[in-house]
Amino acid sequence: MTGPLLIFDSGVGGLSVAQSLRQHYPDAAMCYACDNAWLPYGLRDDAALAERIVAVCQAAVEACQPSVLVVACNTASTLVLENLRARLAIPVVGTVPAIKPAATISQTRHIGLLATKATVGRPYTQRLIDSFASDCVITRVAAEPLVVEAESYLAGGTPDIQRIQAALAPLWQAVMSTSADHPALDTVVLGCTHFPLLKPWLIQLAPVSLNWIDSGDAIARRVAQVVDELRSKQHDGRCFTTAPAANLTAGMARYGFKAPQLLNVGL
Ligand code: DGL
């Protein structure tokens, strides 16, 4: 693998993914690109956004020459991942809401999905729910103000607690109001990469202790697989010997090397 990992988001949300990547690979070379001129993505028209994301990612790939593109944005990934993979010659790893791990750990089978307006309504998100959490109640909360708060926090501001609290009110309602067919929500999917940047405040404001799930670890694991695949493609595997060694062919193959070729030393 030669080039760095390129992390892409609309804004600073991809930094939460960069943090997970760094925890797994402290030495990983990374570049960061964000489409801050079009931020926030969650309120944009789908068709215009799809075209925009492809253009910005192509320009960023051209500038950075990465080995892998990590689309660290749920709003982008749930819209345009397949299109990006078709257009780019490098592997593309996307970020989608962590519904599957949330369904694995929820005891009450009531999960909150906190994401942008676009992501909570996407067919891609519905397919994830149908595939992995069909037995769960899902409370979807569109929380655009959290994107704004995460941006201003990274720009040196202090998060506006009242604004965050107001955006989370529908979530707390689902946490507190229980009935026979609506058991208390116990797990929240952070389906926008901006939101883990505000996690200390989210935990502090929650009326009870909750499971908070983001996609960072899953992305880091997927990137590791992709990097391994790239490395094994680069593995040349040729083997040279100074005496004929056809008898080593099978043994060499077990270690990933090709049949020995005789080396002409010229002495
Ligand atoms: N960080 C992006 C995501 O994961 C969205 C932020 C935005 O709306 O631009 O969806």
Side-chain angles (χ1 to χ4, degrees):
M1 204 182 80
T2 49
L5 304 173
L6 172 58
I7 298 165
F8 169 75
D9 182 38
S10 56
V12 299
L15 295 175
S16 69
V17 174
Q19 193 176 23
S20 297
L21 286 167
R22 277 230 189 284
Q23 273 160 12
H24 286 74
Y25 323 107
D27 301 329
M30 297 188 215
C31 284
Y32 195 90
C34 61
D35 188 9
N36 53 340
W38 263 49
L39 184 79
Y41 274 179
L43 300 173
R44 296 268 179 189
D45 166 73
D46 280 3
L49 187 58
E51 194 184 346
R52 171 78 182 185
I53 292 167
V54 171
V56 175
C57 285
Q58 280 175 326
V61 164
E62 181 65 28
C64 161
Q65 298 290 312
S67 303
V68 179
L69 170 64
V70 180
V71 181
C73 177
N74 295 262
T75 310
S77 300
T78 52
L79 179 67
V80 83
L81 209 47
E82 290 318 311
N83 195 359
L84 272 175
R85 287 188 174 128
R87 303 285 192 97
L88 295 171
I90 55 170
V92 179
V93 175
T95 306
V96 298
I99 298 290
K100 188 179 177 185
T104 309
I105 66 163
S106 171
Q107 297 280 316
T108 61
R109 317 310 289 154
H110 186 173
I111 295 169
L113 171 60
L114 198 60
T116 63
K117 182 168 177 279
T119 299
V120 297
R122 287 258 158 78
Y124 194 115
T125 304
Q126 187 57 50
R127 286 199 294 277
L128 286 176
I129 292 168
D130 294 344
S131 305
F132 302 115
S134 56
D135 66 327
C136 295
V137 175
I138 308 287
T139 293
R140 300 163 201 241
V141 177
E144 318 302 322
L146 299 192
V147 174
V148 179
E149 290 308 314
E151 288 288 329
S152 80
Y153 171 52
L154 261 288
T158 308
D160 179 338
I161 302 296
Q162 278 181 350
R163 198 157 183 232
I164 297 176
Q165 188 66 303
L168 295 174
L171 195 63
W172 303 154
Q173 224 173 345
V175 169
M176 300 314 284
S177 62
T178 62
S179 68
D181 27 285
H182 262 68
L185 180 158
D186 67 349
T187 301
V188 180
V189 175
L190 297 178
C192 170
T193 54
H194 279 73
F195 300 171
L197 300 172
L198 298 174
K199 202 164 158 189
W201 291 277
L202 304 184
I203 292 171
Q204 197 185 317
L205 291 169
V208 297
S209 165
L210 296 165
N211 304 312
W212 299 92
I213 313 285
D214 64 57
S215 309
D217 279 345
I219 296 164
R221 283 197 300 275
R222 180 63 196 136
V223 167
Q225 281 172 352
V226 168
V227 167
D228 280 350
E229 282 161 24
L230 285 178
R231 286 206 179 110
S232 70
K233 273 188 199 150
Q234 280 172 348
H235 173 62
D236 181 294
R238 284 177 298 164
C239 167
F240 300 96
T241 57
T242 55
N247 57 336
L248 283 179
T249 300
M252 285 289 172
R254 285 206 298 276
Y255 289 83
F257 290 95
K258 295 176 186 156
Q261 300 173 40
L262 207 52
L263 191 65
N264 184 0
V265 180
L267 289 175

